[in-house]
Amino acid sequence: MKRILPAFLIGLLLAAPAAAQRAPSDYQQTDAVLAHYPALPDIALQSPAFAAAPPSLSNQDALMAFVAKLAGSSRHARLTSLGLSQQGRDLPLLYLTQEGLADPAAIARLDRPVIWLIGQQHGNEPAGGEAMLAVASALSSGELEPLLARISVVIVPRGNPDGAAADRRVLASGADPNRDHLLMSQPEVRALHQAMRLLPPDVVFDHHEFSVAWRWVEKFNALQAADVMILEATHPGVPRSLTDIARRLYRPALEAAMTRHGLSSHDYVTTDAARDDGMVSLGGNAPGIARNTFGLRGSVSYLIETRGVGIGLQSYQRRVATHYLLAKALLEASATDGGLRAAIAAARQEAATDRSPLVVSHKVARRPFEMPLIDPHTGVAKPTPVTLADSRTLTAVERRERPRGYLVLRGGKPVAEALALNDVKACEVAEAGRAAVEAYDVQRVTVETRRESINPDQSVRVVVRPATIDVPQGALFVPMNQPATGIVAAALEPDSPGSYLGVGVVPMNDNESEAPVYRVMTDRRFCSPH
Ligand SMILES: [Zn+2]
């Protein structure tokens, strides 16, 4: 399934500043700093990196041998493949169920919460991927095995094997996989979502690492302090009740696990690569960030980041153990809450019937924040005042009545393919006819559109007006009364940052002003999605 992207779109994907793509050479922390981050000797990790001392990075062969052995020796683990990376490396996936099922439909029929764990989307963030192997082992025949009576688990230990082989954040193409989950332009991201379509996640944890020195030294002459930073989906289109489950069930479980093991933590914050930008952002609200996309498609979603990028294998056991402990806390909380699956199903149903106005675009609040950093030489706390862009505190820039559906008159095929990978159902209009709709008059605005941006700017502005149009046979109809309604709006409202029209999946000529996308405001069904 190869798709041809417009040249300028490829440009956008690759338009990261050079610094964002280069793996910074390893930063050697002082002994005084390292003393704050000792190993957690009580946490035994069954994974290839810890088979011998000192720990090592698990290369692709070691990873493949480990998962094959698990699947061969466990009653619960079944190994399959998402497909191949751009450079031909395997993308393994493990199903872990009480019954040892390999068929996604059969696993879905068990009617247990389905938990997806994803490691190492970013190649230079190895601890999350390594921890996924230890979790798989513990579920196969270790301390977590009893949980499989209550939950089913899917593990993708290494989402970006090419990046892992090159110690690089990005994919072989240079694109950042963790900004591509709405657009689906990259084969690794498409492969992941194809598997998710067969077995939709109730809960997704996405395991990353963050930069310890690099930008923090350049900007603040300090190092990141926290062992781990976490954040739920924050895009305003994420159903409120899913966010409530994240905060009610998982947040306390994660915090208890961290406190019990003496790990320091706070909400996930990041800062731009640009040296002169002193802003620190609480995550970001790009709809194509995995954490947000999973929320928009109807799953409870968390990002887990440990203190690890750019420091090689320093404190490696602690980093992997931290991911392990948080995944364990997540799985235990999921197995303990008997009402979880029903609550998530209710949240999805609520999303499908939501009639509230759409927040098409928004601004995030800025407020003073004391960033918990440490002195790079002594390791002593160095709380640093910064301005925080708070992605949880929003002001709507564009609010718009929620349509009942959309008609896409151009680019329908790639739009349908990308949406389907996020569990959106659409169909082709069977018979041509006239329709009363709302049309968009589009004005392109000049912004520095970077796919890597965590809070992307709008690349178009629109004026919405009533219109009557000819709908040709074969036009795409996308209804909004479905659980992944947030995906539909993020993709198809042209002025939603990162929209398919904004990035060129829905093409427009320079001399046109009317978008080939229309809002259907009535209950008229142009066809029946399947
Ligand atoms: Zn990452």
Side-chain angles (χ1 to χ4, degrees):
M1 185 175 104
K2 199 171 168 79
R3 207 186 318 136
I4 295 168
L5 287 171
F8 81 92
L9 177 53
I10 292 168
L12 288 181
L13 277 162
L14 302 181
Q21 292 184 29
R22 209 172 45 232
S25 54
D26 289 347
Y27 177 90
Q28 184 55 53
Q29 299 175 94
T30 65
D31 289 344
V33 170
L34 283 169
H36 290 275
Y37 303 96
L40 303 179
D42 296 344
I43 311 301
L45 298 164
Q46 301 298 326
S47 80
F50 302 100
S56 55
L57 273 182
S58 299
N59 64 22
Q60 182 75 1
D61 288 345
L63 177 137
M64 293 307 299
F66 187 83
V67 292
K69 193 171 169 204
L70 265 192
S73 61
S74 163
R75 288 183 295 125
H76 306 300
R78 292 294 172 263
L79 174 63
T80 180
S81 171
L82 294 173
L84 296 179
S85 70
Q86 293 170 36
Q87 293 178 337
R89 293 184 178 87
D90 201 0
L91 293 157
L93 170 148
L94 285 161
Y95 293 117
L96 292 134
T97 61
Q98 177 78 355
E99 294 78 5
L101 301 176
D103 173 19
I107 297 171
R109 282 196 297 273
L110 294 173
D111 205 24
R112 297 175 193 141
V114 175
I115 318 294
W116 280 70
L117 302 175
I118 301 168
Q120 216 168 351
Q121 273 202 79
H122 289 142
N124 62 339
E125 303 173 9
E130 191 68 28
M132 296 301 97
L133 300 178
V135 171
S137 177
L139 284 164
S140 294
S141 58
E143 63 165 345
L144 304 180
E145 186 181 352
L147 300 178
L148 292 177
R150 308 289 298 274
I151 56 174
S152 300
V153 183
V154 187
I155 296 182
V156 177
R158 182 170 285 174
N160 178 5
D162 297 345
D167 192 23
R168 233 162 66 116
R169 172 182 172 90
V170 292
L171 299 166
S173 60
D176 185 338
N178 201 28
R179 301 291 179 271
D180 191 50
H181 290 262
L182 186 67
L183 185 56
M184 307 274 188
S185 68
Q186 300 298 305
E188 291 87 349
V189 178
R190 282 202 300 272
L192 172 69
H193 284 264
Q194 261 153 7
M196 281 191 166
R197 198 181 172 194
L198 298 176
L199 184 57
D202 292 309
V203 182
V204 190
F205 267 45
D206 187 20
H207 292 260
H208 289 250
E209 297 201 272
F210 61 82
S211 210
V212 173
W214 193 23
R215 300 182 274 208
W216 303 98
V217 169
E218 288 176 358
K219 292 185 185 183
F220 306 110
N221 188 28
L223 301 180
Q224 277 273 38
D227 281 298
V228 56
M229 306 195 282
I230 65 177
L231 194 63
E232 75 284 358
T234 51
H235 187 282
V238 174
R240 180 79 215 172
S241 33
L242 287 177
T243 307
D244 288 345
I245 296 170
R247 291 184 185 162
R248 168 185 62 80
L249 178 62
Y250 292 117
R251 188 86 193 199
L254 298 176
E255 285 185 350
M258 293 183 283
T259 305
R260 199 177 314 128
H261 295 278
L263 297 166
S264 56
S265 73
H266 53 79
D267 285 331
Y268 171 67
V269 295
T270 185
T271 187
D272 196 82
R275 258 181 214 228
D276 56 352
D277 180 356
M279 176 88 70
V280 168
S281 298
L282 181 71
N285 282 346
I289 295 176
R291 168 175 59 84
N292 288 323
T293 312
F294 298 140
L296 288 168
R297 64 171 281 163
S299 309
V300 178
S301 168
Y302 255 105
L303 168 73
I304 304 292
E305 297 242 359
T306 50
R307 185 181 183 280
V309 171
I311 56 169
L313 292 178
Q314 296 161 50
S315 311
Y316 198 48
Q317 194 272 355
R318 184 181 181 92
R319 288 151 55 189
V320 178
T322 300
H323 281 287
Y324 178 87
L325 288 167
L326 294 191
K328 177 183 168 184
L330 151 79
L331 297 175
E332 286 173 343
S334 306
T336 309
D337 186 330
L340 177 61
R341 197 164 163 86
I344 292 171
R348 288 181 182 152
Q349 184 57 30
E350 202 179 307
T353 54
D354 190 2
R355 289 283 169 86
S356 65
L358 295 173
V359 175
V360 176
S361 63
H362 65 274
K363 282 203 180 336
V364 301
R366 295 180 176 193
R367 61 179 167 86
F369 178 68
E370 192 164 83
M371 184 70 203
L373 301 173
I374 54 173
D375 182 275
H377 304 290
T378 63
V380 170
K382 184 180 177 180
T384 304
V386 297
T387 301
L388 181 75
D390 180 355
S391 58
R392 286 200 192 102
T393 309
L394 313 176
T395 309
V397 174
E398 296 279 350
R399 219 186 269 276
R400 195 167 293 151
E401 190 183 344
R402 187 180 291 259
R404 306 294 169 86
Y406 295 86
L407 285 163
V408 182
L409 269 51
R410 199 183 294 160
K413 198 168 157 50
V415 166
E417 280 176 9
L419 288 177
L421 289 171
N422 266 321
D423 223 15
V424 170
K425 292 178 172 45
C427 55
E428 287 184 7
V429 175
E431 214 172 294
R434 299 277 287 169
V437 293
E438 284 185 358
Y440 302 98
D441 285 323
V442 174
Q443 187 198 351
R444 288 212 177 261
V445 290
T446 313
V447 292
E448 196 199 344
T449 308
R450 285 196 284 119
R451 288 287 308 163
E452 288 71 19
S453 175
I454 60 165
N455 286 305
D457 291 325
Q458 294 169 299
S459 57
V460 299
R461 299 235 191 286
V462 299
V463 175
V464 177
R465 58 172 167 80
T468 302
I469 59 165
D470 289 317
V471 183
Q473 184 189 347
L476 188 73
F477 175 60
V478 190
M480 281 287 272
N481 61 340
Q482 50 183 322
T485 188
I487 294 280
V488 180
L492 294 181
E493 287 292 333
D495 48 344
S496 169
S499 78
Y500 288 171
L501 189 133
V503 300
V505 176
V506 174
M508 265 185 87
N509 299 325
D510 286 344
N511 58 355
E512 292 175 318
S513 61
E514 187 175 309
V517 178
Y518 299 90
R519 292 157 56 85
V520 178
M521 308 307 291
T522 66
D523 282 329
R524 180 168 169 190
R525 310 283 287 187
F526 291 83
C527 47
S528 298
H530 40 266

